[in-house]
Every structure is written in C-alpha cells, then in structure tokens.
Amino acid sequence: MDDHYYMKLALDLAKKTRNQTSPNPSVGAVIVKNNNIIGFGAHLQAGESHAEVAALNMAKEKAKDATMYVTLEPCSHVGKTGSCAEAIIESDLKKVHIATEDPNERVAGKGIEKLKSANVEVTTGLLKYEAQEINKHFFTSMMRKRPFITLKQATSLDGKIATYMGESKWITSQESRMEVHKDRCLHDAILVGVNTVINDNPELTVRLTECNKQPIRLILDTNLRTPISSNVVTDHLTKTWIFVGKHVDASLINQFNQFKEVEVFQLDTSAIALVDVLNILHKRELRSVYVEGGATVNASFLQEGLIDEVHTYLAPILIGGATSLTSFQGKGVERLADAFQLEIKEIKQIGQDLKIISRGVN
C-alpha cells in the first residue's frame, strides 16, 4: 500500500464530518507503522479534539517513529484545543504527510515550520486538490474574508423559474427537492429575500433525519416587512437573522425581541449592501451560505460577483412566454465578454431532472 492509499483514507474520514465541524475545517488523520494502521481520527466538532490528536490517542506509544497522513496542516497555536504540531512532536512521529497548507493566518505554514524545526520529516501536496475541495467553504472564508456562496436555481429547460402568472410549485421533482435538503445541510445558512417569506411562508429548514444541524435562516428585508407570524419567526426550529436598512424604526425592530431565535441586524445604509451582510456573517464565523432567493436576490449576487458555486436543477418541461420569470432579474450584461464565467464541475440525474454544479472561475 502506498502513500496515496493512506491519504485517501484520511480524506474519507474528513468527508464524513463535512456538515458538523463548522466554523472549523473537516480534517482526517491516519497513522501508519510497518505498513499497519495504528491510529486514525477525524475532527468531529468545533471545540473537540482535532484529527491528529484523536489518531495519536489511538496509537499511543506505538506512534514513535511512525508516519502520519493528515488532510490539513496541523495547527501550531493553542485555541479551544492544544497545538497539534506540538502533540505530534511529543509523540516522536518520524514523518508527516500533509495534503494542503492551512489558509488560516494563525496557522499558514507555522505548523509545518514547527514540525521541521523539531526534525520531523514533512511532505506537502499529496492529494492537495481533493483536500482543498473538502474544505472549499473554509478555504474561501479564510482567503476572501466572506462565506462561500452557493446559489441554487430550479428551472425548466427553457430557463424559467415560474409561469407568467407566477406559479412555481413545483417545477422540479420530489427527488430534486430532497437533494436540495442534503445541500442545505452542508451549509451554515440559507438566504432568501423578504418576498419569498411573504409569498411562500417557508420554513427554510433541513428535513432530513440524518442531518445533525439546522442552518441559520438569513432574510434580506430592507423595510422589515417580514410578517411577525411567519414560520421563520415563530417556529423555533433554528435561528433567523433579518437584515434591514438604517431607516427602519426601532419600535418595529423591537417587536421581534420576544423571539429569542430571531435577531435583527440594522445596517448603516438605506439599501442593503451584500458586502456588509457578508462581513457580518464572516465575523460571526459563518463559512457558507446557500442562496435560495428569487430573481431579485439572485441578480444582486450576480451583479456583485459574489457567487462561488451554482447548483442548477433542470426539469424536463418547457414553460415558454416572454414574461415568464427567469432566475435573474435586472438588465444583465451588454456584452458576452462581461458575462459571469463558470466551469461545470458535475452533472448528474436526480429523478427526471438534471443537477448541474458549476464553479466560478474568477
């Protein structure tokens, strides 16, 4: 068995925890000695042991002169848990294979340098792309100082999200809607505009028993029109954060104080600027946002270039009509050269629909 095999095992461990470690990254570690696995572990939840420490605790004294395969650079600082680099050094590991460096400025290269300074042999880059893909939300958050933005759209084959009368339930299949719940579970928050709340009164929750968390619900609501009786306010299923403009009267905001899961953020501008919203989310350590807004919200993210990934569900129907709604309102671009560029990463069939995952190339 080669190095790729053991790193692949570590990556598989990291994948298992992708929806439960935020704001921390998902990390897996495997310790090998004489071609035998003597320890393995994964970071399970923020505040709990890191993957390296879990693997070392399993290997115990056998870790001396062994080799570790870890998907992310071991931390060198002491936070809610101890320094993983120091734990590796104290265990007398001989060699550490690291898939990718940590983009967190508190770590970035410091963990590697600490290991090398203690005469631990270190290699980096083994299955680097796969490791970064597992933690794409975390990497974007660290490098761009904002959450990773996934925009979801469900359309007919001719690109419509509703009929000319506004009917949209349901364009895609039940199988696609269940797939959406899986994707919701992988994100820290779900974002919509206030019109979605008013028109549909959605719950914006994950309805899957295997999901161990509920994303925070984010509502863009310039004038605070969110009905105080709406599900996102009254159902107590998860937190709801409402973003409003500076002109909203304090008495209107205070009406929401009776709901402990609801928080209203009043911005310093009359119109809601997405950059301001994302700054708040980043400071609150939200690493990812799943945008399920309508055409107006979608257009705002597109105009600002704040889209990292697009999930498109294509239903095998044709709606037609010049006035039937499309995924993005607004004027759009004048020249094709100015279009937002995407790269198709995956296409798969969900029920009778197609799911297309595209990644921004900018």
Side-chain angles (χ1 to χ4, degrees):
M1 296 182 184
D2 61 11
D3 293 335
H4 282 78
Y5 174 82
Y6 294 119
M7 186 62 81
K8 180 66 164 55
L9 288 179
L11 289 168
D12 288 342
L13 288 168
K15 288 178 183 177
K16 299 296 184 182
T17 66
R18 280 189 303 165
N19 67 333
Q20 63 187 55
T21 63
S22 187
N24 292 352
S26 296
V27 182
V30 174
I31 302 176
V32 178
K33 189 173 185 179
N34 299 325
N35 292 321
N36 291 318
I37 297 173
I38 59 173
F40 60 87
H43 179 47
L44 300 180
Q45 194 171 350
E48 295 187 4
S49 296
H50 289 186
E52 302 94 317
V53 173
L56 289 169
N57 287 341
M58 182 181 292
K60 297 181 180 178
E61 68 276 358
K62 294 179 182 178
K64 180 178 173 60
D65 293 328
T67 297
M68 174 181 284
Y69 298 81
V70 62
T71 60
L72 188 67
E73 177 182 359
C75 62
S76 57
H77 63 283
V78 177
K80 293 182 180 179
T81 59
S83 164
C84 291
E86 192 63 42
I88 290 170
I89 293 168
E90 291 176 357
S91 297
D92 288 329
L93 279 170
K94 179 180 181 181
K95 187 173 184 178
V96 179
H97 290 283
I98 299 169
T100 184
E101 293 183 5
D102 192 328
N104 186 340
E105 58 188 17
R106 293 190 302 170
V107 181
K110 298 181 181 69
I112 293 173
E113 184 59 36
K114 190 177 187 70
L115 293 174
K116 289 181 176 180
S117 297
N119 296 319
V120 178
E121 186 179 349
V122 177
T123 71
T124 60
L126 181 61
L127 299 182
K128 178 178 180 178
Y129 174 79
E130 292 85 343
Q132 292 178 349
E133 185 67 16
I134 290 172
N135 283 307
K136 60 187 179 183
H137 297 169
F138 179 77
F139 270 69
T140 294
S141 179
M142 292 296 104
M143 297 170 69
R144 299 193 176 187
K145 307 303 180 185
R146 64 162 176 81
F148 184 99
I149 305 298
T150 302
L151 188 146
K152 187 269 288 185
Q153 56 179 343
T155 78
S156 61
L157 283 181
D158 54 340
K160 308 296 185 180
I161 63 171
T163 68
Y164 76 93
M165 290 294 290
E167 182 183 353
S168 61
K169 292 185 177 180
W170 296 102
I171 288 177
T172 51
S173 64
Q174 182 177 358
E175 291 90 342
S176 288
R177 297 196 293 276
M178 292 306 296
E179 179 79 3
V180 167
H181 283 284
K182 294 178 183 178
D183 287 330
R184 284 180 173 181
C185 187
L186 293 174
H187 290 76
D188 291 334
I190 301 170
L191 183 146
V192 300
V194 65
N195 286 334
T196 296
V197 177
I198 292 172
N199 295 332
D200 300 338
N201 193 23
E203 293 181 358
L204 301 177
T205 55
V206 179
R207 291 183 283 282
L208 295 172
T209 56
E210 60 268 30
C211 186
N212 56 16
K213 69 166 189 177
Q214 287 291 347
I216 295 173
R217 300 174 290 205
L218 311 175
I219 315 298
L220 303 183
D221 186 2
T222 302
N223 300 309
L224 194 48
R225 295 186 296 127
T226 298
I228 204 163
S229 60
S230 60
N231 287 325
V232 296
V233 174
T234 63
D235 64 14
H236 307 293
L237 295 176
T238 185
K239 294 179 181 179
T240 297
W241 295 355
I242 306 173
F243 295 86
V244 304
K246 69 175 183 179
H247 59 276
V248 175
D249 191 87
S251 62
L252 186 57
I253 295 174
N254 291 338
Q255 293 182 43
F256 291 85
N257 291 342
Q258 61 183 299
F259 304 98
K260 64 179 183 179
E261 293 88 0
V262 179
E263 188 170 355
V264 179
F265 294 82
Q266 188 163 28
L267 304 180
D268 294 331
T269 54
S270 296
I272 292 176
L274 289 179
V275 171
D276 293 338
V277 173
L278 297 185
N279 283 339
I280 293 172
L281 301 183
H282 182 69
K283 290 177 181 178
R284 293 290 188 101
E285 295 191 311
L286 268 65
R287 306 298 186 205
S288 58
V289 176
Y290 193 65
V291 178
E292 293 194 67
T296 301
V297 169
N298 291 349
S300 296
F301 277 91
L302 178 61
Q303 183 176 345
E304 298 296 325
L306 294 170
I307 300 173
D308 296 299
E309 195 164 279
V310 178
H311 292 187
T312 303
Y313 291 86
L314 281 178
I317 60 173
L318 298 171
I319 293 176
T323 59
S324 298
L325 292 176
T326 59
S327 297
F328 297 88
Q329 285 187 354
K331 189 175 181 180
V333 298
E334 182 177 346
R335 302 180 304 158
L336 286 176
D338 297 326
F340 190 86
Q341 300 295 317
L342 297 159
E343 178 184 4
I344 293 177
K345 290 294 187 179
E346 182 180 357
I347 301 175
K348 64 179 179 179
Q349 187 164 351
I350 308 291
Q352 292 299 308
D353 306 325
L354 287 181
K355 180 184 182 183
I356 304 172
I357 299 177
S358 307
R359 188 77 55 81
V361 298
N362 55 330

